[in-house]
Amino acid sequence: MKCPTCGYEESKVVDSRTAESQDAIRRRRECLKCGTRFTTYERIEERPLMVLKSRGTTEPFDYDKLRHGIVTATVKRPINSDQIEHLIDDIVNELQGSFRYEVSSSALGDMVLKRLKNLDAVAYIRFASVYKDFQDLNGFTHELKELE
Ligand SMILES: [Zn+2]
């Protein structure tokens, strides 16, 4: 499990607990090189959560990729890593709680947006501009209006 900050491969587990839905172990890890703390999820059951892409292909739900997208959107914003972890936990719990094993990438993006909207308007717009395909300026203006 590579450190999301420096890429170092060794980390120690600082906390483990079963996720709310009981079918995943959530581990808090600390990078042995730079000290960054990050979270991994190890699913107990065989069926992994899949993400359905817009082209019709599926790929396993990638926690690191999702975290990276959110971290990028929240750069220099007043959102700390605990809030980001909490946001991801909340989405995972919602999906697992509803026994969903497949989620479309756009639905996943909406789940993030719904939560970012409550945290920080700038991060919300940044994430939306990457995740949603704004076809024209009207789409973007509409998103901005929804913030008011
Ligand atoms: Zn590191």
Side-chain angles (χ1 to χ4, degrees), residues 3-8 31-36 38:
C3 167
T5 302
C6 72
Y8 194 64
C31 174
L32 292 181
K33 193 175 174 191
C34 74
T36 295
F38 56 103

Side-chain angles (χ1 to χ4, degrees), residues 71-85:
V71 167
T72 303
T74 56
V75 166
K76 293 184 180 168
R77 299 304 303 165
I79 296 176
N80 62 40
S81 60
D82 280 348
Q83 285 173 295
I84 294 172
E85 297 299 339

Side-chain angles (χ1 to χ4, degrees), residues 107-122:
L108 186 60
D110 286 343
M111 290 174 85
V112 175
L113 286 174
K114 197 174 89 187
R115 289 161 175 83
L116 276 183
K117 197 179 232 175
N118 296 327
L119 283 179
D120 186 76
V122 172

Side-chain angles (χ1 to χ4, degrees), residues 4 40 57-58 64 91 94-95 118 122:
T40 55
T57 55
T58 54
D64 290 331
I91 288 173
E94 183 180 324
L95 289 169
N118 296 327
V122 172

Side-chain angles (χ1 to χ4, degrees), residues 10-144:
E10 285 179 58
S11 59
K12 67 175 179 188
V13 174
V14 290
D15 182 42
S16 293
R17 65 177 172 83
T18 308
E20 263 172 48
S21 61
Q22 306 284 315
D23 61 357
I25 305 267
R26 178 185 188 277
R27 292 191 208 282
R28 201 75 179 128
R29 293 174 180 274
E30 187 179 302
C31 174
L32 292 181
K33 193 175 174 191
C34 74
T36 295
R37 290 197 169 192
F38 56 103
T39 306
T40 55
Y41 295 85
E42 288 154 41
R43 292 180 66 83
I44 295 163
E45 68 165 59
E46 306 270 308
R47 249 172 119 181
L49 181 62
M50 300 298 287
V51 176
L52 179 65
K53 312 291 284 180
S54 56
R55 283 161 298 167
T57 55
T58 54
E59 63 180 32
F61 184 20
D62 186 336
Y63 295 97
D64 290 331
K65 195 173 160 187
L66 182 63
R67 184 188 298 110
H68 180 75
I70 297 168
V71 167
T72 303
T74 56
V75 166
K76 293 184 180 168
R77 299 304 303 165
I79 296 176
N80 62 40
S81 60
D82 280 348
Q83 285 173 295
I84 294 172
E85 297 299 339
H86 181 78
L87 190 154
I88 297 172
D89 276 357
D90 199 42
I91 288 173
V92 171
N93 284 329
E94 183 180 324
L95 289 169
Q96 292 179 339
S98 58
F99 299 101
R100 284 171 68 180
Y101 295 99
E102 193 174 274
V103 61
S104 69
S105 53
S106 63
L108 186 60
D110 286 343
M111 290 174 85
V112 175
L113 286 174
K114 197 174 89 187
R115 289 161 175 83
L116 276 183
K117 197 179 232 175
N118 296 327
L119 283 179
D120 186 76
V122 172
Y124 169 81
I125 290 294
R126 284 183 188 157
F127 193 87
S129 67
V130 172
Y131 234 91
K132 292 204 168 185
D133 201 5
F134 288 113
Q135 302 289 341
D136 51 39
L137 197 60
N138 285 339
F140 197 68
T141 312
H142 179 69
E143 289 292 329
L144 284 169

